[in-house]
Amino acid sequence: MKEVKGKITHRILLNYKIDPEVMKNNLPSGFEPKLVNGYAIGGICQVSLSEMRPNGLPSIIGTSSHNAAHRIAVTCSQGEGVFVTRRDTNSSLNTFSSGTFFPGVYKKATFDIETDTNQYDVQISKDKNILMSIKGKLSNNIPTNSVFNSTQEVSDFFLKGNIGWSKKENSEELDTIELNAINWKMEPLEVISEFSSYFYNESIFPKGSVEFDSAMIMQNLDHSWISREELCQVCV
C-alpha cells in the first residue's frame, strides 16, 4: 500500500447538479451517477497542500502544491466515490510522478489563488484558457435552491465518497486512491462568481442540463492519500 500524507491548507468543492442521463453518457462502463433528489452531482475540487511526503518521513521534507480535480459522484460494484475526468497541478514534481510513483495523472496548469481569513479567489488556466474559477466568502448556509438540504448533508455525501477512480494515461485501466482526512469538516461558501470550462461546455452538457448548485470549503486538515490497487479493476 502506498500512502502520502500532509496538510490540506484549503479544499474548495465547486458543485453542479446535472441531468442524470446526460451525465451517464459521459461516464465509463461500470459507473452510474450517484443521485441526490434526482440529480447527478459533478464538480471541481481545488486543493492546496503542504508538507506532502511519503508516510513515515518527517514533515520538514514535505512539498507544497496547488491541485484540482474534475469529478463526478458515482456508484459502482465496489460502492460509491468519484470518477475523476481530469487532474491539474502547478507542481512539476506532481506532473512528473503522476501515474508512476502514485496513482492519478496530472496536467501542468497555472493557478492564481488569493485568500484571506474569509474570502477565496481561485482561477486555474492552461495556455491562457480558463479551466475553472471561483470567487466566494465563508457563509453559514448553503443556497436555498441546492439539491442538498443542509451543510451536514453535503458533508456526509462527500465523506462517504472518498474513493476516487480515474483512467490511467492512454489506457482504459483504472487508478484508485482514497482520501483519509482527520477531523473532517466542511463549511459553505457564498459564491460571488464561478465558471467551469468543462461543465459549461454545451458539446458535452447540452444547454439546460447542468446548473451550479453549491460550494464548500475545508481548511487546515491533516490528511493522507492512499493507493487502493485492489479496487482498480472492479468497476469495469
Side-chain angles (χ1 to χ4, degrees):
M1 181 179 69
K2 299 176 183 176
E3 181 176 5
V4 294
K5 63 187 298 184
K7 288 187 177 294
I8 293 175
T9 304
H10 75 248
R11 180 177 186 239
I12 294 173
L13 302 180
L14 183 60
N15 307 316
Y16 295 91
K17 49 191 176 186
I18 304 165
D19 180 289
E21 289 302 318
V22 173
M23 192 68 262
K24 184 176 180 178
N25 291 336
N26 287 284
L27 287 172
S29 175
F31 292 96
E32 294 284 338
K34 182 181 177 182
L35 304 186
V36 178
N37 290 325
Y39 288 93
I41 304 297
I44 304 171
C45 170
Q46 190 278 302
V47 59
S48 295
L49 305 173
S50 62
E51 301 178 11
M52 297 301 298
R53 74 277 187 193
N55 190 24
L57 296 182
S59 61
I60 194 170
I61 69 166
T63 62
S64 299
S65 62
H66 298 305
N67 308 276
H70 289 63
R71 324 135 16 108
I72 313 299
V74 295
T75 62
C76 72
S77 59
Q78 283 294 301
E80 57 190 67
V82 295
F83 182 79
V84 179
T85 63
R86 178 189 179 104
R87 288 187 174 94
D88 295 280
T89 183
N90 72 337
S91 167
S92 297
L93 177 62
N94 289 358
T95 305
F96 172 74
S97 63
S98 64
T100 304
F101 301 108
F102 201 75
V105 176
Y106 286 82
K107 301 178 184 296
K108 191 71 176 295
T110 300
F111 286 68
D112 294 311
I113 297 178
E114 296 181 11
T115 67
D116 62 22
T117 304
N118 296 310
Q119 298 193 40
Y120 299 83
D121 191 348
V122 175
Q123 180 173 288
I124 305 170
S125 59
K126 185 174 180 63
D127 300 327
K128 299 183 179 180
N129 295 313
I130 297 175
L131 301 175
M132 169 266 196
S133 67
I134 180 172
K135 181 180 293 186
K137 59 184 179 180
L138 286 178
S139 175
N140 293 320
N141 300 294
I142 61 174
T144 56
N145 63 344
S146 171
V147 298
F148 298 99
N149 294 312
S150 66
T151 297
Q152 189 61 52
E153 186 177 336
V154 184
S155 181
D156 291 344
F157 178 86
F158 287 109
L159 176 60
K160 293 175 183 177
N162 65 331
I163 300 291
W165 290 274
S166 60
K167 289 184 179 180
K168 296 178 181 290
E169 192 166 24
N170 301 319
S171 172
E172 294 300 310
E173 295 183 355
L174 299 176
D175 281 324
T176 310
I177 61 172
E178 176 184 357
L179 170 62
N180 179 21
I182 300 171
N183 299 322
W184 181 279
K185 181 183 178 182
M186 283 188 176
E187 299 175 275
L189 283 179
E190 178 185 339
V191 173
I192 300 167
S193 63
E194 52 78 24
F195 173 74
S196 165
S197 62
Y198 176 67
F199 290 106
Y200 289 147
N201 183 342
E202 293 186 1
S203 68
I204 302 173
F205 301 99
K207 188 174 182 179
S209 66
V210 60
E211 182 181 349
F212 168 71
D213 182 85
S214 57
M216 307 294 290
I217 190 166
M218 307 175 75
Q219 302 181 83
N220 302 319
L221 299 178
D222 292 321
H223 80 294
S224 63
W225 300 95
I226 304 168
S227 172
R228 292 299 189 194
E229 296 179 359
E230 71 276 13
L231 300 180
C232 285
Q233 300 300 326
V234 296
C235 290
V236 295

